[in-house]
mmCIF file of all heavy atoms in Angstrom:
data_model
loop_
_atom_site.group_PDB
_atom_site.id
_atom_site.type_symbol
_atom_site.label_atom_id
_atom_site.label_comp_id
_atom_site.label_asym_id
_atom_site.label_seq_id
_atom_site.Cartn_x
_atom_site.Cartn_y
_atom_site.Cartn_z
ATOM 1 N N ASP A 60 25.285 -12.052 -4.250
ATOM 2 C CA ASP A 60 24.843 -10.883 -3.494
ATOM 3 C C ASP A 60 25.336 -11.037 -2.055
ATOM 4 O O ASP A 60 25.012 -12.032 -1.394
ATOM 5 C CB ASP A 60 23.319 -10.768 -3.532
ATOM 6 C CG ASP A 60 22.829 -9.454 -2.960
ATOM 7 O OD1 ASP A 60 23.075 -9.200 -1.756
ATOM 8 O OD2 ASP A 60 22.210 -8.680 -3.712
ATOM 9 N N PRO A 61 26.121 -10.083 -1.546
ATOM 10 C CA PRO A 61 26.706 -10.246 -0.210
ATOM 11 C C PRO A 61 25.683 -10.241 0.922
ATOM 12 O O PRO A 61 25.993 -10.661 2.028
ATOM 13 C CB PRO A 61 27.671 -9.063 -0.097
ATOM 14 C CG PRO A 61 27.205 -8.074 -1.105
ATOM 15 C CD PRO A 61 26.563 -8.855 -2.207
ATOM 16 N N LYS A 62 24.465 -9.791 0.668
ATOM 17 C CA LYS A 62 23.424 -9.764 1.690
ATOM 18 C C LYS A 62 22.466 -10.952 1.572
ATOM 19 O O LYS A 62 21.510 -11.065 2.344
ATOM 20 C CB LYS A 62 22.610 -8.473 1.587
ATOM 21 C CG LYS A 62 23.389 -7.221 1.872
ATOM 22 C CD LYS A 62 23.669 -7.116 3.334
ATOM 23 C CE LYS A 62 23.217 -5.797 3.886
ATOM 24 N NZ LYS A 62 23.353 -5.732 5.324
ATOM 25 N N PHE A 63 22.693 -11.850 0.599
ATOM 26 C CA PHE A 63 21.731 -12.904 0.319
ATOM 27 C C PHE A 63 21.417 -13.762 1.544
ATOM 28 O O PHE A 63 20.264 -13.863 1.967
ATOM 29 C CB PHE A 63 22.202 -13.770 -0.851
ATOM 30 C CG PHE A 63 21.279 -14.907 -1.167
ATOM 31 C CD1 PHE A 63 19.972 -14.670 -1.543
ATOM 32 C CD2 PHE A 63 21.718 -16.223 -1.088
ATOM 33 C CE1 PHE A 63 19.104 -15.725 -1.829
ATOM 34 C CE2 PHE A 63 20.872 -17.278 -1.386
ATOM 35 C CZ PHE A 63 19.559 -17.035 -1.746
ATOM 36 N N ALA A 64 22.409 -14.392 2.119
ATOM 37 C CA ALA A 64 22.166 -15.302 3.252
ATOM 38 C C ALA A 64 21.545 -14.553 4.427
ATOM 39 O O ALA A 64 20.598 -15.050 5.051
ATOM 40 C CB ALA A 64 23.461 -15.995 3.674
ATOM 41 N N GLU A 65 22.038 -13.365 4.712
ATOM 42 C CA GLU A 65 21.486 -12.559 5.802
ATOM 43 C C GLU A 65 20.011 -12.229 5.542
ATOM 44 O O GLU A 65 19.175 -12.316 6.449
ATOM 45 C CB GLU A 65 22.298 -11.265 5.930
ATOM 46 C CG GLU A 65 21.781 -10.286 6.958
ATOM 47 C CD GLU A 65 22.570 -8.980 6.953
ATOM 48 O OE1 GLU A 65 23.769 -8.982 6.612
ATOM 49 O OE2 GLU A 65 21.969 -7.955 7.301
ATOM 50 N N ASN A 66 19.689 -11.857 4.300
ATOM 51 C CA ASN A 66 18.301 -11.540 3.968
ATOM 52 C C ASN A 66 17.400 -12.767 4.047
ATOM 53 O O ASN A 66 16.256 -12.676 4.513
ATOM 54 C CB ASN A 66 18.210 -10.888 2.585
ATOM 55 C CG ASN A 66 18.632 -9.434 2.602
ATOM 56 O OD1 ASN A 66 18.543 -8.755 3.620
ATOM 57 N ND2 ASN A 66 19.089 -8.944 1.470
ATOM 58 N N VAL A 67 17.896 -13.910 3.600
ATOM 59 C CA VAL A 67 17.105 -15.140 3.697
ATOM 60 C C VAL A 67 16.802 -15.442 5.167
ATOM 61 O O VAL A 67 15.649 -15.702 5.536
ATOM 62 C CB VAL A 67 17.823 -16.335 3.025
ATOM 63 C CG1 VAL A 67 17.142 -17.654 3.371
ATOM 64 C CG2 VAL A 67 17.884 -16.139 1.521
ATOM 65 N N GLN A 68 17.818 -15.396 6.014
ATOM 66 C CA GLN A 68 17.638 -15.682 7.434
ATOM 67 C C GLN A 68 16.642 -14.711 8.072
ATOM 68 O O GLN A 68 15.753 -15.118 8.829
ATOM 69 C CB GLN A 68 18.987 -15.603 8.169
ATOM 70 C CG GLN A 68 20.012 -16.611 7.706
ATOM 71 C CD GLN A 68 19.674 -18.024 8.109
ATOM 72 O OE1 GLN A 68 19.045 -18.269 9.122
ATOM 73 N NE2 GLN A 68 20.070 -18.975 7.294
ATOM 74 N N GLY A 69 16.800 -13.423 7.780
ATOM 75 C CA GLY A 69 15.922 -12.409 8.372
ATOM 76 C C GLY A 69 14.480 -12.549 7.918
ATOM 77 O O GLY A 69 13.546 -12.442 8.726
ATOM 78 N N ALA A 70 14.280 -12.781 6.632
ATOM 79 C CA ALA A 70 12.925 -12.929 6.103
ATOM 80 C C ALA A 70 12.250 -14.180 6.661
ATOM 81 O O ALA A 70 11.071 -14.154 7.025
ATOM 82 C CB ALA A 70 12.957 -12.964 4.577
ATOM 83 N N LYS A 71 13.000 -15.279 6.735
ATOM 84 C CA LYS A 71 12.443 -16.518 7.295
ATOM 85 C C LYS A 71 12.060 -16.303 8.766
ATOM 86 O O LYS A 71 10.991 -16.732 9.195
ATOM 87 C CB LYS A 71 13.439 -17.672 7.175
ATOM 88 C CG LYS A 71 13.743 -18.142 5.767
ATOM 89 C CD LYS A 71 12.586 -18.774 5.059
ATOM 90 C CE LYS A 71 12.310 -20.172 5.521
ATOM 91 N NZ LYS A 71 11.157 -20.768 4.806
ATOM 92 N N ALA A 72 12.931 -15.647 9.515
ATOM 93 C CA ALA A 72 12.664 -15.408 10.939
ATOM 94 C C ALA A 72 11.421 -14.540 11.138
ATOM 95 O O ALA A 72 10.712 -14.688 12.140
ATOM 96 C CB ALA A 72 13.875 -14.759 11.604
ATOM 97 N N ALA A 73 11.130 -13.661 10.191
ATOM 98 C CA ALA A 73 9.955 -12.789 10.281
ATOM 99 C C ALA A 73 8.686 -13.486 9.794
ATOM 100 O O ALA A 73 7.605 -12.907 9.857
ATOM 101 C CB ALA A 73 10.196 -11.509 9.485
ATOM 102 N N GLY A 74 8.821 -14.704 9.279
ATOM 103 C CA GLY A 74 7.659 -15.449 8.840
ATOM 104 C C GLY A 74 7.218 -15.176 7.418
ATOM 105 O O GLY A 74 6.086 -15.491 7.046
ATOM 106 N N LEU A 75 8.096 -14.614 6.615
ATOM 107 C CA LEU A 75 7.770 -14.355 5.215
ATOM 108 C C LEU A 75 8.053 -15.584 4.360
ATOM 109 O O LEU A 75 8.954 -16.370 4.670
ATOM 110 C CB LEU A 75 8.605 -13.186 4.685
ATOM 111 C CG LEU A 75 8.388 -11.838 5.376
ATOM 112 C CD1 LEU A 75 9.405 -10.829 4.873
ATOM 113 C CD2 LEU A 75 6.981 -11.333 5.146
ATOM 114 N N LEU A 76 7.309 -15.729 3.289
ATOM 115 C CA LEU A 76 7.629 -16.735 2.282
ATOM 116 C C LEU A 76 8.818 -16.212 1.492
ATOM 117 O O LEU A 76 8.844 -15.036 1.119
ATOM 118 C CB LEU A 76 6.440 -16.975 1.358
ATOM 119 C CG LEU A 76 5.167 -17.503 2.025
ATOM 120 C CD1 LEU A 76 4.035 -17.570 1.011
ATOM 121 C CD2 LEU A 76 5.418 -18.859 2.651
ATOM 122 N N VAL A 77 9.792 -17.070 1.208
ATOM 123 C CA VAL A 77 11.047 -16.631 0.608
ATOM 124 C C VAL A 77 11.321 -17.355 -0.702
ATOM 125 O O VAL A 77 11.142 -18.564 -0.813
ATOM 126 C CB VAL A 77 12.218 -16.871 1.590
ATOM 127 C CG1 VAL A 77 13.554 -16.548 0.943
ATOM 128 C CG2 VAL A 77 12.032 -16.046 2.852
ATOM 129 N N GLY A 78 11.776 -16.574 -1.681
ATOM 130 C CA GLY A 78 12.259 -17.092 -2.946
ATOM 131 C C GLY A 78 13.564 -16.408 -3.301
ATOM 132 O O GLY A 78 13.914 -15.377 -2.721
ATOM 133 N N ALA A 79 14.290 -16.974 -4.260
ATOM 134 C CA ALA A 79 15.581 -16.420 -4.677
ATOM 135 C C ALA A 79 15.565 -16.168 -6.170
ATOM 136 O O ALA A 79 14.877 -16.870 -6.919
ATOM 137 C CB ALA A 79 16.705 -17.394 -4.332
ATOM 138 N N TYR A 80 16.342 -15.154 -6.601
ATOM 139 C CA TYR A 80 16.452 -14.882 -8.030
ATOM 140 C C TYR A 80 17.891 -14.666 -8.455
ATOM 141 O O TYR A 80 18.752 -14.338 -7.650
ATOM 142 C CB TYR A 80 15.547 -13.731 -8.460
ATOM 143 C CG TYR A 80 15.957 -12.336 -8.050
ATOM 144 C CD1 TYR A 80 16.748 -11.536 -8.879
ATOM 145 C CD2 TYR A 80 15.501 -11.772 -6.858
ATOM 146 C CE1 TYR A 80 17.087 -10.241 -8.520
ATOM 147 C CE2 TYR A 80 15.827 -10.478 -6.497
ATOM 148 C CZ TYR A 80 16.620 -9.710 -7.335
ATOM 149 O OH TYR A 80 16.953 -8.425 -6.986
ATOM 150 N N HIS A 81 18.111 -14.894 -9.750
ATOM 151 C CA HIS A 81 19.421 -14.743 -10.384
ATOM 152 C C HIS A 81 19.286 -13.801 -11.564
ATOM 153 O O HIS A 81 18.423 -13.990 -12.416
ATOM 154 C CB HIS A 81 19.935 -16.101 -10.866
ATOM 155 C CG HIS A 81 21.199 -16.008 -11.670
ATOM 156 N ND1 HIS A 81 22.443 -15.994 -11.075
ATOM 157 C CD2 HIS A 81 21.416 -15.893 -13.011
ATOM 158 C CE1 HIS A 81 23.367 -15.886 -12.020
ATOM 159 N NE2 HIS A 81 22.765 -15.819 -13.200
ATOM 160 N N PHE A 82 20.171 -12.797 -11.651
ATOM 161 C CA PHE A 82 20.198 -11.861 -12.772
ATOM 162 C C PHE A 82 21.115 -12.421 -13.856
ATOM 163 O O PHE A 82 22.317 -12.562 -13.654
ATOM 164 C CB PHE A 82 20.696 -10.493 -12.299
ATOM 165 C CG PHE A 82 20.528 -9.411 -13.317
ATOM 166 C CD1 PHE A 82 19.364 -8.659 -13.353
ATOM 167 C CD2 PHE A 82 21.526 -9.147 -14.245
ATOM 168 C CE1 PHE A 82 19.205 -7.650 -14.297
ATOM 169 C CE2 PHE A 82 21.375 -8.145 -15.188
ATOM 170 C CZ PHE A 82 20.215 -7.401 -15.213
#
Side-chain angles (χ1 to χ4, degrees):
D60 189 298
K62 295 287 233 174
F63 178 61
E65 176 184 331
N66 283 334
V67 168
Q68 298 289 330
K71 293 294 284 180
L75 298 173
L76 299 175
V77 175
Y80 73 92
H81 173 86
F82 190 90

